[in-house]
Amino acid sequence: MSRKTLLVSIAAFVAAAVLALGTALLLVALLERRTAEALQQAFARAHVGWVQVTLDGLNVTLAGTAPDESARINALQVAGEVVDATRISETIAVTQRNAIVAPVFRVEMMRNRDDLSVIGLVPARPGRAPIAERLRDALPDLAIEDLLQTTDYAVPGGWVAATDFAVAALEKFEVGRISVTAGRIEVEALVDGPEERRSLEEELRGMAPRGQVLTLDLIAPRPVAAPFLLRVDAEAGVLHVGACNADTEEAQQTIATALTRAGYTRRLVCPLALGAPTPRWGEGAALGIAALASLGEGNLTMSDGTVILAIPHTVPGSDFDRAVGTLETALPEAFSLSARHLDPPPEVEPDADAAPEVQLRLTEEGRLSLAGRLPDERIRAAVGAFAGARFGREAVEIGARLDPELPSGWAIRVLTVIEALAELHHGEALVRADRVRISGVSGNPDARSQVTQALLQGLGSEARIDVQVRYDEALDPVANAPTPDNCEARIHDVLRETKITFDPGSTEINADSAPVIDRIAEVLRECGELPFEVAGYTDSQGREETNLNLSQARAEAVINALLTRRVLVASLVAQGYGAADPIADNRTEAGREANRRIEFRLIRPEAPPEPIDPALEAQLTFEVQSPGADTIRPRPRPGSQVADAPTIGSGDEEATDETPAESQ
């Protein structure tokens, strides 16, 4: 080959190489331009305007400052839908922000007689005295340690009323704790006994601000029981517990199990007390209960170490002997058994002087009348003074004649019965030499046990007593305290008996519904200003919009009717629901009538959010890993050529954005 030919060949090769290089660079530039355009369109559709895109051939670099970590991740996802994720690298910075977290306000007030500690976080309230100062004004004799911190943040709803309640409640007990958070108040206190616990609970619930959840844990120390008592009566196989003490939780469970096995259906937890004669008290009580249940009639009295089993003459002697023998053998050594198979009463002619007695009657108005016989004038005066101290001097009427031949201890029997009768709301009592009978009604669920215990302590464990006391919840001041839940339940009871009705297609309340409105108004006046939703409903007949308007107008009519009855209605909200939430079948007339109704629903405060610990929140880290080579690739677009992918995907997505919502 000549030199000239060689030079021509070299020149042609160089020209081809230059042409190929230029073509490659042109194709790369075209690919970069199309990729950049596709990325810009994708970021525009995603409303991401802060990303800076740099292309180096097939590789894409994303830069910029993201407003937060979520925006950074979103940008990577948008880019990954356009190009392969393995070709993406990023140098995106994230703006550092300090999140504003609402503080959780909480105050703890702990009192130990003359010392009071206050700790927590409370809102700063300009123009209002701090909590510690208000406590010093209310309890000037207490040494108060103020450990409160304040912050300038919005005061939660109900916070002021809740802290005012806490300050006032601390005056009611000497040892305890009050915790206040938004919408919730917790009170723990030590009280002297069951009666003091009931009284304090009633008082605190009456003081509690509306709209707050009040939790009470009032603890009474164990009383000293002298004597330690258990009294169980059996009548036709049915057991009645008159008094019960237990020294340990194990004894409580043992006695409860024995009663259940004997057919006792009520749930009973014997109060814990100090003074049991033996650690085996629960075992002895269970054996006595089993013996009484096997006979079906009579009564069991356990007083300290003495076990008395009194069985009527109607029980066969063989059954009596077998039950007593079994009990004697099984009882622990600390107990002594006295078993009596009572003789039938003698047949005697009725004679007024043969059976001296005292009759007592306590009326529902609280007036006590006493008739019968008393030993002398001194005893009559003492009985009158004692009864006057219990019921009020003006409420006592003594109509007893004098009889110096009365049995020994007669005055003690009468005074003991007066003491027991004071546990009742109303009732009657009969005092005789051989027995005492008390019957009546009380609003205290423990009244029967307290009456029985008072009689046995005053008359002795061998006394024959008959206690018939009935609990009436309507007389219970604790059960009927005007708490929000209690008020809602009372209104529901009223509407369950008789509903509020309207004239057909009208918003005028039917005249027959006036008594119902009156009863609801009475409940709301007693309960105070509580937040209630007055909800109106219709049947399904008619247009939806018409039913909504009609139900709304009827709910508003009920609120207006309550307003005319001097009810505070500022916290009542009328809401019409039309034919929603039917409670019966709208295809029948009876069902449609049931669906046309008014309901009252208590608006309860939302549960406070779980507190966020800023220290823990600061430790949270977010790590985003770029997809690796083994990651599933983005979904293929129409036309599988890499260079064409960006332009084809863009137009289809814009068309999809214009599709109607129903079609989507």
Side-chain angles (χ1 to χ4, degrees):
M1 181 181 296
S2 66
R3 182 180 179 87
K4 181 178 181 181
T5 303
L6 179 60
L7 292 175
V8 170
S9 298
I10 293 174
F13 177 78
V14 171
V18 171
L19 180 61
L21 178 60
T23 302
L25 292 175
L26 181 62
L27 290 175
V28 169
L30 178 62
L31 178 60
E32 289 181 348
R33 182 173 60 81
R34 289 188 175 182
T35 303
E37 291 176 355
L39 286 171
Q40 290 173 358
Q41 292 175 0
F43 285 130
R45 287 193 301 271
H47 305 288
V48 179
W50 51 266
V51 177
Q52 301 168 9
V53 181
T54 302
L55 286 94
D56 183 9
L58 297 179
N59 296 322
V60 177
T61 302
L62 304 181
T65 303
D68 51 43
E69 187 67 25
S70 176
R72 170 180 169 272
I73 297 172
N74 182 52
L76 293 173
Q77 291 174 340
V78 171
E81 295 177 358
V82 178
V83 299
D84 193 325
T86 59
R87 293 160 42 200
I88 301 174
S89 60
E90 52 94 9
T91 59
I92 299 174
V94 179
T95 303
Q96 297 295 326
R97 294 187 176 183
N98 294 325
I100 300 177
V101 179
V104 179
F105 290 119
R106 184 183 185 94
V107 59
E108 299 272 353
M109 305 179 186
M110 294 160 284
R111 179 175 180 180
N112 184 13
R113 303 196 185 281
D114 295 333
D115 298 325
L116 178 64
S117 299
V118 190
I119 186 172
L121 178 66
V122 298
R125 290 272 296 168
R128 183 174 176 83
I131 293 176
E133 289 187 16
R134 288 150 53 197
L135 286 169
R136 290 188 182 96
D137 293 339
L139 303 164
D141 297 332
L142 266 63
I144 299 176
E145 184 177 6
D146 183 5
L147 301 175
L148 289 174
Q149 294 180 328
T150 61
T151 182
D152 188 9
Y153 205 84
V155 180
W159 176 263
V160 175
T163 54
D164 287 344
F165 165 81
V167 172
L170 281 171
E171 302 181 50
K172 307 299 180 182
F173 55 83
E174 293 187 345
V175 179
R177 177 188 72 90
I178 297 181
S179 174
V180 178
T181 55
R184 187 176 186 86
I185 305 171
E186 299 176 3
V187 180
E188 298 176 3
L190 188 66
V191 295
D192 293 335
E195 285 301 315
E196 290 77 6
R197 177 171 54 199
R198 287 174 58 86
S199 177
L200 180 59
E201 181 177 358
E202 179 182 354
E203 189 172 7
L204 292 179
R205 292 197 183 279
M207 294 167 48
R210 307 306 178 193
Q212 300 284 324
V213 177
L214 178 62
T215 303
L216 299 179
D217 185 9
L218 308 181
I219 303 171
R222 292 191 189 183
V224 177
F228 219 71
L229 288 174
L230 173 68
R231 171 69 178 222
V232 183
D233 297 310
E235 183 177 356
V238 179
L239 300 186
H240 303 279
V241 180
C244 184
N245 293 132
D247 56 334
T248 64
E249 294 181 358
E250 182 181 358
Q252 282 181 327
Q253 185 60 43
T254 301
I255 295 173
T257 301
L259 288 169
T260 301
R261 290 175 178 172
Y264 190 74
T265 56
R266 294 181 56 190
R267 182 179 181 274
L268 176 71
V269 178
C270 297
L272 293 175
L274 301 175
T278 169
R280 303 178 69 181
W281 170 265
E283 179 185 349
L287 292 170
I289 292 169
L292 178 64
S294 68
L295 298 172
E297 296 282 349
N299 57 70
L300 168 71
T301 304
M302 294 181 61
S303 176
D304 288 338
T306 302
V307 180
I308 302 171
L309 195 63
I311 306 301
H313 69 283
T314 54
V315 175
S318 58
D319 294 344
F320 174 77
D321 293 340
R322 182 171 56 254
V324 172
T326 302
L327 182 58
E328 281 180 339
T329 304
L331 272 177
E333 294 182 0
F335 295 98
S336 62
L337 175 62
S338 172
R340 299 196 301 262
H341 198 196
L342 304 177
D343 296 328
E347 296 292 338
V348 296
E349 295 294 329
D351 184 355
D353 292 329
E357 62 183 26
V358 171
Q359 307 93 25
L360 300 98
R361 182 171 183 268
L362 177 62
T363 67
E364 296 187 28
E365 293 76 24
R367 301 189 62 84
L368 178 70
S369 60
L370 184 150
R373 307 184 197 182
L374 293 174
D376 52 45
E377 183 61 41
R378 181 178 59 85
I379 296 298
R380 184 162 61 183
V383 168
F386 187 77
R390 289 292 182 271
F391 302 97
R393 181 173 300 179
E394 301 299 326
V396 175
E397 178 184 351
I398 303 294
R401 70 181 180 90
L402 302 181
D403 182 359
E405 303 299 327
L406 292 174
S408 174
W410 188 261
I412 295 297
R413 299 176 73 83
V414 174
L415 293 175
T416 299
V417 169
I418 293 175
E419 179 72 21
L421 201 59
E423 301 288 345
L424 305 182
H425 181 269
H426 60 276
E428 297 179 347
L430 176 66
V431 180
R432 287 190 173 179
D434 59 340
R435 67 182 183 275
V436 169
R437 183 175 70 242
I438 291 183
S439 61
V441 180
S442 174
N444 179 2
D446 300 324
R448 177 168 183 161
S449 174
Q450 293 174 0
V451 167
T452 302
Q453 195 152 347
L455 292 177
L456 292 176
Q457 288 178 342
L459 305 179
S461 57
E462 298 190 6
R464 293 181 58 189
I465 62 174
D466 181 12
V467 179
Q468 301 293 331
V469 175
R470 178 173 58 86
Y471 168 68
D472 187 351
E473 186 177 358
L475 302 175
D476 192 338
V478 174
N480 293 280
T483 63
D485 291 337
N486 176 273
C487 294
E488 182 183 37
R490 291 171 62 186
I491 294 176
H492 287 177
D493 290 341
V494 171
L495 292 176
R496 192 177 298 113
E497 295 176 10
T498 310
K499 62 186 295 187
I500 300 173
T501 59
F502 297 81
D503 295 332
S506 171
T507 61
E508 295 293 329
I509 299 177
N510 193 292
D512 295 338
S513 297
V516 185
I517 302 291
D518 291 339
R519 293 176 62 187
I520 294 176
E522 182 179 354
V523 173
L524 292 176
R525 283 195 296 268
E526 292 179 6
C527 295
E529 199 169 359
L530 287 175
F532 273 100
E533 179 189 74
V534 182
Y537 294 90
T538 66
D539 57 34
S540 62
Q541 294 183 329
R543 296 173 58 245
E544 180 180 359
E545 183 178 357
T546 302
N547 287 335
L548 284 173
N549 293 335
L550 181 61
S551 61
Q552 178 70 29
R554 287 179 171 178
E556 293 173 355
V558 172
I559 293 180
N560 290 333
L562 293 171
L563 179 61
T564 62
R565 289 163 171 81
R566 298 181 295 106
V567 173
L568 299 174
V569 299
S571 60
L572 303 184
V573 178
Q575 181 64 54
Y577 291 96
D581 302 325
I583 59 174
D585 190 352
N586 274 306
R587 293 174 295 181
T588 66
E589 178 56 36
R592 290 191 292 272
E593 173 62 27
N595 290 330
R596 296 190 291 267
R597 67 195 189 277
I598 293 290
E599 294 183 356
F600 279 70
R601 287 192 284 266
L602 184 67
I603 302 174
R604 291 173 169 81
E606 295 183 1
E610 290 293 331
I612 300 175
D613 189 339
L616 293 178
E617 188 181 32
Q619 297 175 11
L620 296 177
T621 59
F622 298 90
E623 182 178 353
V624 179
Q625 297 179 351
S626 299
D630 56 346
T631 304
I632 298 176
R633 297 170 61 86
R635 183 180 57 193
R637 293 171 172 74
S640 58
Q641 296 299 321
V642 175
D644 296 334
T647 57
I648 296 176
S650 166
D652 288 348
E653 292 180 5
E654 290 178 353
T656 303
D657 288 342
E658 297 177 359
T659 306
E662 292 77 12
S663 300
Q664 293 175 1

